[in-house]
């Protein structure tokens, strides 16, 4: 079966590609998960994050932003000793404030998903072949998140998140996921 070039050969990558990457996501908990994980990935390979994902899920209350927003700042010291996490102080210290800001956006807009998808009029953007590493939407979203105090949300990180949660459908030409028909999908670039 033909897949995007990045999706192999490791089974963890293949499974992620085949079942998650690029699927339109509208659940705030899942969006918070990807926001947190993409920030943790900065400067590392995605497979590192995928291998540690289950531990992140355990430590960060199943990626429930309400629970994470109530964590004490002192938790960072505990997290820094956990080999199941990416032990980068700045990334770990950003988790609780990011959860609080995430919740604020959700409260203002009815959900974080509604806010996020408003940048693309609620429809995935379909692009095939050679997607940019940064896009106008990622730049705008990054700018707004930074203005609200979030960390590890630069345009490249946000672009990767938008790919992961299906705001962008950037499966490569020839990938079996690119061939399936979708209704109501926008196409740009």
């Amino acid at each position: 079966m033909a897949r995007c070039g990045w999706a192999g050969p490791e089974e963890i990558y293949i499974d992620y590609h085949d079942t998650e990457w690029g699927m339109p996501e509208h659940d705030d908990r899942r969006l918070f998960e990807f926001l947190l994980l993409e920030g943790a990935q900065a400067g590392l390979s995605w497979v590192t994050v995928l291998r540690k994902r289950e531990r992140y899920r355990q430590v960060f209350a199943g990626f429930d932003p309400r629970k994470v927003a109530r964590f004490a700042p002192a938790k960072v010291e505990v997290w820094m000793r956990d080999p199941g996490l990416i032990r980068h102080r700045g990334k770990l210290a950003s988790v609780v404030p990011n959860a609080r800001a995430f919740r604020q956006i959700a409260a203002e807009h009815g959900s974080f998903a509604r806010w996020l998808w408003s940048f693309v009029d609620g429809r995935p953007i379909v692009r095939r072949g050679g997607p940019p590493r940064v896009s106008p939407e990622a730049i705008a979203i990054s700018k707004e998140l930074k203005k609200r105090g979030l960390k590890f949300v630069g345009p490249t990180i946000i672009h990767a998140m938008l790919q992961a949660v299906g705001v962008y459908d950037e499966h490569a030409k020839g990938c079996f996921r690119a061939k399936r028909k979708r209704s109501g999908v926008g196409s740009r670039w």
Side-chain angles (χ1 to χ4, degrees), residues 40 42 56 76 80 85-94 152:
Y56 271 83
V76 172
M80 286 294 293
L85 301 176
I86 295 165
R87 293 178 285 181
H88 180 286
R89 185 171 299 281
K91 291 175 182 180
L92 292 172
S94 73
F152 295 94

Side-chain angles (χ1 to χ4, degrees), residues 69-79 89 92-93 96-97 100:
R70 292 192 303 260
F71 286 171
K75 287 247 189 199
V76 172
E77 296 308 318
V78 174
W79 299 335
R89 185 171 299 281
L92 292 172
V96 174
R100 291 175 181 157

Side-chain angles (χ1 to χ4, degrees), residues 10 12-13 45-52:
E10 293 189 52
I12 197 167
Y13 264 147
S45 69
W46 185 243
V47 75
T48 300
V49 174
L50 288 176
R51 289 180 181 142
K52 294 179 179 280

Side-chain angles (χ1 to χ4, degrees), residues 17 57 71 75 79 82 85 98 113 136 149 152 157 169 188:
H17 172 272
R57 192 170 277 132
F71 286 171
K75 287 247 189 199
W79 299 335
D82 190 329
L85 301 176
N98 282 4
F152 295 94
I157 290 170
D169 177 353
R188 298 183 206 166

Side-chain angles (χ1 to χ4, degrees), residues 3 7 15-16 21 45 53 87-88 92 105-106 125 135 143:
R3 292 179 173 87
D15 182 57
Y16 173 67
W21 192 77
S45 69
R53 188 180 195 184
R87 293 178 285 181
H88 180 286
L92 292 172
I105 293 168
I125 295 174
S135 61
K143 183 177 179 181

